[in-house]
Amino acid sequence: MSHHQNLLRGKFLPVMLTGLLTMATASQAYAQWASGEIRRVDPDNLRLTIKHGEIKSLDMPPMTMVFHVKNRAVLGDFKAQDKIEFQATAEGTKYFVTEIRRAP
């Protein structure tokens, strides 16, 4: 093994990867929460209609759209016109709210 390969394997590569992972994790955590306003709550179909700002983690511009929830508890006691912050994920062609809280 050459000196160059040894350096990459022993010291520099883990440091470089750690730095990249740290930046990606910080970026994801920052971009996850989006702001919006609930337009409609549909508990029977586990859906929320939300008018939202940009959702950077999903590369989505501001719009009004339907989000699904997997767990009825996520809907809580939210109602139309509540100002919220939320986290969403994409699964196939559906978007899911995974966490939600009232906006400060």
Side-chain angles (χ1 to χ4, degrees):
M1 180 178 297
S2 75
H3 178 67
H4 178 71
Q5 288 172 325
N6 192 27
L7 285 176
L8 286 178
R9 209 171 258 180
K11 295 181 182 178
F12 296 110
L13 192 56
V15 171
M16 288 173 17
L17 289 176
T18 301
L20 290 174
L21 292 175
T22 302
M23 286 188 300
T25 303
S27 175
Q28 274 183 333
Y30 176 76
Q32 283 182 353
W33 288 97
S35 60
E37 180 180 313
I38 295 177
R39 296 298 188 169
R40 181 170 183 240
V41 178
D42 182 358
D44 294 334
N45 295 303
L46 299 176
R47 297 188 300 200
L48 287 167
T49 303
I50 301 173
K51 179 181 179 184
H52 62 80
E54 180 181 14
I55 304 176
K56 292 181 181 184
S57 62
L58 298 175
D59 194 27
M60 183 181 292
M63 66 178 75
T64 300
M65 63 179 286
V66 174
F67 288 87
H68 300 267
V69 296
K70 292 183 178 181
N71 182 341
R72 188 176 306 278
V74 172
L75 298 175
D77 61 349
F78 290 101
K79 61 189 182 318
Q81 299 181 347
D82 281 349
K83 305 280 192 231
I84 58 164
E85 293 177 335
F86 65 101
Q87 293 183 5
T89 60
E91 293 183 24
T93 59
K94 292 183 178 181
Y95 294 90
F96 290 86
V97 169
T98 55
E99 292 190 50
I100 187 170
R101 63 187 181 202
R102 289 191 178 6

